[in-house]
Amino acid sequence: MILSYLSYSWQYLNGGNVLIGKYRLNGRLILAPMAGVTDQPFRKLCRRMGAALVVGEMVSANPKLRNTRKTQLRMNHDGECEPIVVQIAGGDAASLAEAAKFNVDCGAQIIDINMGCPAKKVCNKAAGSALLRDERLVDEIVNAVVNAVDVPVTLKIRLGWDRDFINANRIAKIAENAGIQALAVHGRTRCEFYEGFATYDEIADIKSRISIPVIANGDIDSAQKAKFVLDYTGADALMIGRAAQGRPWIFNEINQFLQNGAVSDDMPRRAVSKILISHMRELYSFYGEFLGLRIARKHVAWYCKTQADHLQFRREFNVIDNCDYQLQMVEDYLKS
Ligand SMILES: Cc1cc2nc3c(=O)[nH]c(=O)nc-3n(C[C@H](O)[C@H](O)[C@H](O)COP(=O)(O)O)c2cc1C
């Protein structure tokens, strides 16, 4: 009895130990790349709170953008847990292969290719999920990037362009044949952006067709949903994005549920305050006071959105332009 319980928890937590190249993950939960959110302070926080792997904000394959302050900050992985994953975005094989090499030289230990982002800014240049419409180009890109570097290369996709053009299973085969080491699939099409609900049948289908690790993504926002998606798709791991905004402890909650079925109580306000204040301090130290306190505003809004009177609090908070006052206000608001 005890043995079967132990093997149950081991199976859910480690899922047969997801292996990405030589990197064996210590869990099944991955923080999704989110531009403007998964910066270094947030990645470190999510790792501390139970994410087995974290993916940073995409960096452009365009070398002209490399020296901008934004890209430099995105490329900063000082003090992070290994393996360091860098996601690259671009529209052609040669520049993505070059970008992969460049980022490996700068310390990337896993390269992730972005074919999942629906943003117009990315897609107008036929990058991100727009690439999914051109399977020959996808083939060229994944082969070029895999051959350019000695580290594992992973791919993040959507189901296809729209519901009339779902080709994720063909893309998955292309990826596997090229030597991609893990595939993350967001259960929406490009044209759905973030509307409606993610669907998981296609992810289950992909899982049954390829033998590299499959990572299910889309709308996983609770421990119960996480277990449902794992069971339904048979995926090796889960990728969580928006549900971690303002709730980085979701990784610990899901890990605990997968391990022993225990449902966590709501995080007490004092505990939220402690996590948030430490997050804000990290933001100030990483970005400097001017930018740090502006970036803190959106995180504070996410952390507080389920608390009483949060709209009023947010209005008052957003006009403060001093780090000490910001900290004091959060402390007072979340007191008891
Ligand atoms: C603000 C924001 C930024 C995002 N940026 C990226 C990105 O840089 N690269 C990428 O592949 N996906 C990006 N995504 C998509 C997420 O990685 C993820 O696939 C999507 O949010 C669905 O997962 P979720 O329902 O858990 O949020 C972004 C999503 C959001 C909300």
Side-chain angles (χ1 to χ4, degrees), residues 61-75:
N62 182 350
K64 288 195 192 125
L65 300 179
R66 271 180 205 153
N67 288 324
T68 61
R69 169 134 200 258
K70 186 167 149 184
T71 306
Q72 291 293 314
L73 286 168
R74 285 186 178 192
M75 287 174 58

Side-chain angles (χ1 to χ4, degrees), residues 31-38 55-59 74 87 89 112-118 156-158 185-188 194 198 217-221 239-245 302:
L31 173 67
M34 287 184 286
V37 184
T38 60
V55 187
E57 308 165 88
M58 62 181 157
V59 292
R74 285 186 178 192
Q87 188 190 62
D112 183 54
I113 307 173
N114 178 341
M115 292 193 195
C117 188
K156 180 165 179 286
I157 63 172
R158 287 189 170 223
V185 187
H186 177 187
R188 282 191 179 80
Y194 295 94
N217 170 236
D219 297 350
I220 298 162
D221 57 1
M239 186 173 257
I240 294 165
R242 290 164 296 169
Q245 294 173 350
W302 287 325

Side-chain angles (χ1 to χ4, degrees), residues 266-285:
D266 284 347
M267 184 69 75
R269 280 165 80 95
R270 286 306 307 171
V272 173
S273 172
K274 213 169 151 204
I275 296 164
L276 175 53
I277 282 175
S278 128
H279 187 177
M280 290 163 73
R281 288 189 197 284
E282 298 268 350
L283 290 170
Y284 305 151
S285 129

Side-chain angles (χ1 to χ4, degrees), residues 167-188:
N167 62 340
N169 56 1
R170 293 200 297 277
I171 301 280
K173 265 283 163 213
I174 292 171
E176 180 175 44
N177 291 339
I180 290 288
Q181 303 277 335
L183 179 73
V185 187
H186 177 187
R188 282 191 179 80

Side-chain angles (χ1 to χ4, degrees), residues 157 168-169 172 183 185 202-210 214:
I157 63 172
N169 56 1
L183 179 73
V185 187
E202 301 83 357
I203 303 178
D205 180 48
I206 290 170
K207 173 62 193 165
S208 71
R209 288 167 192 264
I210 60 175
V214 171

